[in-house]
């Protein structure tokens, strides 16, 4: 198991319990989604994995190493996290952003090869190589953020709502990229409000309901058999089961 979230609770201050007793696993090469409505606790869960918020309970392990504290953990440096917003350095060019993605990697030839790989994946980034990231559109910035995260060849890629607020054609492009990464064997934890699209590309999904409780988990077909999940999502998960 690459990621093991065990009975995790997270709260903001004394009053706001954002995640409650959440247990979630991501296996090698799997694409696992966390879906649920606004405020369900999805982003908080990713932040907890990255050590950006302390745990109120439970544990988080990556490759059996504890990462669920704010203390530095070398294993966390093998995780790439693309936040909901602000995944690029706006003051730097596209090329500088991509090079920065490989700054922790000593093998500069490998970094150059990975940058080339990402320029193939996202041709718009080659086109705008020298342009300031702040001058890119929202969809282009999101492509840059994902590309930068991939330069690390991460053990686990954490994507927080990568299609939020983007035009339909860019949403299609991003989901195609995610499906391609899955086919390449990248291990991914994807947070998405667009439950149908997420289910289409995922091996499994966890349905989160505020305050951060797992309502159900499984493949689209398995989720279909959980009435509370079908009720909460408002559509039949099996309709999205194309990739199962
Ligand atoms: P969305 O889909 O809208 O991004 P989400 O499922 O990612 O929602 P979170 O952002 O994790 O949900 O928020 C979970 C709960 O924690 C919400 O009730 C939210 O208001 C609260 N919350 C989030 N960030 C903070 C914060 N910094 N301080 C206090 N409460 C917070």
């Amino acid at each position: 198991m690459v990621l093991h979230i065990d009975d995790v609770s997270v709260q903001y201050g004394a009053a706001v319990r954002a995640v409650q007793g959440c247990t979630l696993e991501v296996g090698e090469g799997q694409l696992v989604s966390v879906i649920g409505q606004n405020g369900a606790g999805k982003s908080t869960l990713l932040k907890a994995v990255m050590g950006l918020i302390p745990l109120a309970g439970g544990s988080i392990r990556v490759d059996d190493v504890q990462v669920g504290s704010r203390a530095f953990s070398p294993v966390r440096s093998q995780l790439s996290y693309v936040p909901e917003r602000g995944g690029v350095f706006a003051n730097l060019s596209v090329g500088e952003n991509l090079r920065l993605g490989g700054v922790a990697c000593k093998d500069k030839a490998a970094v150059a090869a990975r940058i080339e790989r990402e320029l193939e994946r996202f041709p718009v980034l080659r086109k705008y190589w020298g342009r300031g990231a702040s001058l890119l559109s929202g969809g282009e910035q999101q492509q840059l953020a994902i590309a930068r995260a991939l330069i690390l060849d991460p053990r686990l890629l954490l994507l927080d709502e990568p299609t939020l607020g983007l035009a339909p054609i860019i949403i299609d492009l991003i989901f195609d990229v995610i499906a391609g990464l899955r086919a390449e064997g990248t291990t991914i934890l994807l947070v998405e409000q667009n439950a149908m699209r997420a289910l289409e590309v995922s091996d499994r999904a966890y349905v989160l309901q505020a305050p951060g409780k797992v309502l159900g988990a499984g493949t689209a077909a398995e989720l279909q058999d959980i009435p509370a999940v079908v009720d909460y999502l408002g559509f039949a998960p099996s309709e999205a089961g194309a990739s199962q």
Side-chain angles (χ1 to χ4, degrees):
M1 210 48 71
V2 175
L3 176 68
H4 198 111
I5 296 179
D6 189 23
D7 199 23
V8 156
S9 296
V10 180
Q11 54 189 69
Y12 294 101
V16 182
R17 172 62 55 115
V19 174
Q20 195 163 323
C22 177
T23 294
L24 179 158
E25 289 183 332
V26 185
E28 180 97 46
Q30 285 188 339
L31 198 177
V32 171
S33 292
V34 180
I35 55 182
Q37 292 163 1
N38 285 118
K42 307 181 297 295
S43 299
T44 300
L45 201 56
L46 291 197
K47 287 177 188 159
V49 174
M50 293 308 293
L52 302 172
I53 312 176
L55 303 186
S59 72
I60 300 179
R61 283 174 287 140
V62 173
D63 289 335
D64 276 333
V65 178
Q66 293 277 354
V67 296
S69 84
R70 296 181 84 171
F72 171 77
S73 168
V75 85
R76 201 181 286 126
S77 62
Q78 295 166 31
L79 312 182
S80 277
Y81 166 58
V82 180
E84 204 171 295
R85 281 177 207 87
V88 301
F89 291 97
N91 296 332
L92 301 181
S93 70
V94 168
E96 287 165 339
N97 266 278
L98 290 174
R99 288 203 192 99
L100 211 54
V103 79
C105 178
K106 290 198 174 67
D107 185 347
K108 293 306 161 199
V111 170
R114 291 176 200 164
I115 289 177
E116 184 52 34
R117 180 189 68 196
E118 297 315 318
L119 293 175
E120 288 290 310
R121 198 191 311 271
F122 299 103
V124 74
L125 301 182
R126 193 190 298 280
K127 183 170 157 202
Y128 293 140
W129 175 263
R131 185 174 287 195
S134 63
L135 301 177
L136 300 181
S137 71
E140 290 159 357
Q141 288 194 17
Q142 190 59 278
Q143 292 175 67
L144 177 57
I146 297 171
R148 190 167 65 81
L150 289 169
I151 304 296
L152 188 65
D153 262 358
R155 182 79 182 114
L156 174 68
L157 176 66
L158 301 127
L159 297 173
D160 194 354
E161 307 244 14
T163 64
L164 189 72
L166 301 181
I169 191 165
I170 304 296
I171 293 178
D172 287 346
L173 185 153
I174 301 273
F175 273 108
D176 281 352
V177 164
I178 292 171
L181 290 170
R182 178 192 179 203
E184 289 172 21
T186 310
T187 307
I188 302 174
L189 182 59
L190 168 69
V191 157
E192 254 302 328
Q193 248 191 72
N194 191 335
M196 179 72 99
R197 295 300 296 268
L199 283 168
E200 279 169 7
V201 295
S202 301
D203 292 292
R204 283 180 302 117
Y206 289 78
V207 181
L208 221 58
Q209 183 179 38
K213 281 187 173 167
V214 176
L215 196 58
T219 63
E222 287 162 352
L223 290 172
Q224 181 66 43
D225 291 335
I226 308 173
V229 165
V230 179
D231 220 38
Y232 174 73
L233 293 178
F235 66 89
S238 59
E239 287 170 19
S243 67
Q244 308 299 323

